[in-house]
């Protein structure tokens, strides 16, 4: 039996960040993940994620985002490599659509630099777009790209540098908790610690079944498109990230061309509910057709061959906000998950929140709206 201060279960974006922050504070940390490092089974793989300050989803995310930007910069400095690129970004839609209206309201509340583009200006600046006549756009110069694989690798590498022990391919089978500590069982060993952090993404419900977390797992196909002519008009430094709301169809997103062949673009939510262990991982022609129609109409230069595709998983709550809290029956157990498809950008600050929660039982008041009680999460003291 090995002794640690904190065991972190799940080493995706949130769990690896928690391991980094805890080990940086001098805690003896064990991180366990069910799959090999760099796996593509959850929600943290891939080369890129959007980060933005104009947050339409809830006003309380904005102070957390300001902290997230700061912490990503700190991580970037410690890692000695670029993790973020401020490409600038667009939020496109009708003036009264939630995406556009609430994003404009958010950035104005923060008194941050921005431009609101009418349809003529949008077409002039970005001729690859074909917006409808009644659409506008918010341009946010601080919106940009997190290089996701680099971010994840940096968090893991620096956690180890600060003394954390990370073990991949080591699924947790059960755990118990008492006021004196926790015990975690894997297939071959058991580990003891004072505290437990569960950040298991789409598997969190299976590790915390007693909480009956109100979550669903969405299968999200991700596509890389070969432009019809050249990738030059989508080049990094010339082309922004964007989110585009079509009231009848949902929200679509896209990136400049980075290193993977093709240009990443897809649909945000699709309500294709699944189980994380039995999900269909093969992305099909039918999946492609559900999003191709949008790009063919509104970004025709992108309407070429799909050169890469894979499935990502969103762990989604009914209100599409995160779940971050202490276990209601075990004060030395805390959890984070259900980031509803918009969590990666927050990983730097969620790791800090989890470290605070694990060590002090408290987290920044700005995050209180993410606690489980809003969704009726209650628990009982059980072993799983």
């Amino acid at each position: 039996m090995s002794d640690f201060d904190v065991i972190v279960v799940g080493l995706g974006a949130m769990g690896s960040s928690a391991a980094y922050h805890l080990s940086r504070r001098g805690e003896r940390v064990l991180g366990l993940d069910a799959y090999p490092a760099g796996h593509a089974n959850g929600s943290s793989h891939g080369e890129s994620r959007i980060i933005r300050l104009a947050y339409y989803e809830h006003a309380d995310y904005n102070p957390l985002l300001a902290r997230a930007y700061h912490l990503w910069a700190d991580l970037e400095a410690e890692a000695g490599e670029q993790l973020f690129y401020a490409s600038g970004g667009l939020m496109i839609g009708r003036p009264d659509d939630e995406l556009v209206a609430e994003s404009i309201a958010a950035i104005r509340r923060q008194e941050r630099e921005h431009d609101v583009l009418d349809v003529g200006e949008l077409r002039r600046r970005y001729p690859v777009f074909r917006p409808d006549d009644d659409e506008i756009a918010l341009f946010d110069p601080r919106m940009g790209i997190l290089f996701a694989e680099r971010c994840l690798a940096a968090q893991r590498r620096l956690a180890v540098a600060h003394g954390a022990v990370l073990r991949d391919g080591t699924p947790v089978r059960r755990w118990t908790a008492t006021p004196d500590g926790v015990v975690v069982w894997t297939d071959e060993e058991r580990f003891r610690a004072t505290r437990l952090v569960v950040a298991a993404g789409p598997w969190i419900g299976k590790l915390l079944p007693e909480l009956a977390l109100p979550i669903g797992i969405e299968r999200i196909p991700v596509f890389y498109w070969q432009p019809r002519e050249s990738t030059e008009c989508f080049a990094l430094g010339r082309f922004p990230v964007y989110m585009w709301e079509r009231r009848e169809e949902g929200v679509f997103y896209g990136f400049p061309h980075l290193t993977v062949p093709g240009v990443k673009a897809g649909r945000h939510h699709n309500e294709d509910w699944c189980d994380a262990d039995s999900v269909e991982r093969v992305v099909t022609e039918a999946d492609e057709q559900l999003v191709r129609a949008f790009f063919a109409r509104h970004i025709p230069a992108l309407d070429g061959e799909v050169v890469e595709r894979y499935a990502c998983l969103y762990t989604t709550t009914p209100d599409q906000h995160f779940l971050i809290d202490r276990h209601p029956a075990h004060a030395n157990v805390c959890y984070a998950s259900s980031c509803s498809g918009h969590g990666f950008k927050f990983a730097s600050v969620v790791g800090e929140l989890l470290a605070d929660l694990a060590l002090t039982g408290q987290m920044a008041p700005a995050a209180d709206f993410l606690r489980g009680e809003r969704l009726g999460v209650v628990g009982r003291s059980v072993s799983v």
Side-chain angles (χ1 to χ4, degrees):
M1 182 181 294
S2 300
D3 291 331
F4 296 89
D5 296 319
V6 187
I7 296 173
V8 178
V9 179
L11 293 173
M14 305 304 177
S16 63
S17 180
Y20 165 66
H21 280 280
L22 286 160
S23 61
R24 196 181 185 197
R25 297 183 192 187
E27 299 296 311
R28 296 172 300 157
V29 176
L30 171 66
L32 301 171
D33 197 278
Y35 295 96
H39 71 85
N41 295 315
S43 309
S44 299
H45 54 290
E47 70 172 348
S48 58
R49 295 292 190 280
I50 291 174
I51 185 168
R52 51 195 165 92
L53 280 164
Y55 226 68
Y56 70 93
E57 287 89 338
H58 194 294
D60 285 352
Y61 282 114
N62 289 292
L64 297 176
L65 271 166
R67 182 64 178 161
Y69 268 80
H70 177 81
L71 291 171
W72 284 123
D74 283 353
L75 183 72
E76 189 174 64
E78 188 175 357
E81 64 175 324
Q82 185 176 22
L83 304 178
F84 165 71
Y85 180 82
S87 64
L90 295 166
M91 311 293 267
I92 306 171
R94 298 168 187 163
D96 58 347
D97 286 342
E98 180 184 27
L99 177 77
V100 170
E102 294 302 320
S103 296
I104 292 173
I107 206 164
R108 286 177 173 169
R109 281 194 301 270
Q110 299 172 63
E111 298 181 341
R112 295 186 183 276
E113 178 187 356
H114 68 282
D115 292 318
V116 177
L117 312 181
D118 63 24
V119 68
E121 183 65 11
L122 177 60
R123 289 168 177 161
R124 187 189 70 78
R125 289 196 193 183
Y126 304 102
V128 297
F129 290 136
R130 298 290 187 272
D132 289 345
D133 290 342
D134 60 351
E135 292 183 309
I136 66 170
L138 166 69
F139 177 76
D140 173 5
R142 283 290 291 160
M143 193 168 168
I145 301 163
L146 288 171
F147 300 109
E149 291 173 345
R150 293 186 206 168
C151 292
L152 187 58
Q155 289 178 159
R156 290 173 56 97
R157 183 174 70 252
L158 293 173
V160 171
H162 288 296
V165 176
L166 305 185
R167 299 186 58 167
D168 299 296
T170 308
V172 169
R173 300 306 182 188
R174 63 189 183 101
W175 60 269
T176 59
T178 70
D180 298 322
V182 299
V183 180
V184 171
W185 280 264
T186 67
D187 288 331
E188 297 181 353
E189 296 180 72
R190 60 175 179 165
F191 302 95
R192 184 174 60 205
T194 306
R195 302 171 185 87
L196 176 66
V197 173
V198 182
W203 295 275
I204 195 166
K206 298 181 180 184
L207 284 169
L208 301 173
E210 73 281 5
L211 297 187
L213 297 173
I215 58 177
I217 313 303
E218 286 182 88
R219 172 183 173 273
I220 306 293
V222 177
F223 301 95
Y224 285 78
W225 308 81
Q226 180 61 45
R228 283 186 169 183
E229 297 177 4
S230 167
T231 59
E232 189 61 29
C233 61
F234 296 98
L236 186 66
R238 294 184 56 184
F239 190 73
V241 294
Y242 61 90
M243 297 180 69
W244 194 327
E245 181 175 3
R246 298 293 299 174
R247 195 173 301 167
E248 303 82 5
E249 303 165 66
V251 174
F252 298 82
Y253 67 86
F255 289 78
H257 176 249
L258 299 176
T259 57
V260 174
V263 177
K264 182 180 177 182
R267 185 181 177 189
H268 188 27
H269 283 279
N270 61 14
E271 298 187 349
D272 182 2
W273 305 108
C274 66
D275 179 273
D277 290 320
S278 60
V279 60
E280 175 54 69
R281 299 272 177 190
V282 176
V283 176
T284 66
E285 185 75 16
D287 293 322
E288 177 185 321
Q289 293 309 314
L290 289 173
V291 297
R292 180 179 285 278
F294 169 83
F295 293 107
R297 177 179 175 186
H298 293 290
I299 314 178
L302 202 58
D303 184 27
E305 178 188 0
V306 171
V307 293
E308 180 153 342
R309 64 188 81 198
Y310 59 83
C312 186
L313 300 182
Y314 287 2
T315 307
T316 304
T317 61
D319 61 9
Q320 294 190 7
H321 299 314
F322 309 167
L323 280 171
I324 305 175
D325 210 343
R326 286 199 299 176
H327 193 295
H330 303 295
N332 54 352
V333 178
C334 62
Y335 64 90
S337 188
S338 310
C339 292
S340 302
H342 60 111
F344 194 102
K345 64 183 70 64
F346 292 91
S348 61
V349 71
V350 169
E352 183 178 67
L353 294 171
L354 284 170
D356 291 341
L357 204 54
L359 299 180
T360 71
Q362 303 294 323
M363 61 181 179
D368 281 344
F369 78 107
L370 302 174
R371 291 186 180 273
E373 62 184 4
R374 79 178 192 276
L375 296 175
V377 176
V378 297
R380 60 189 186 280
S381 183
V382 296
S383 299
V384 298

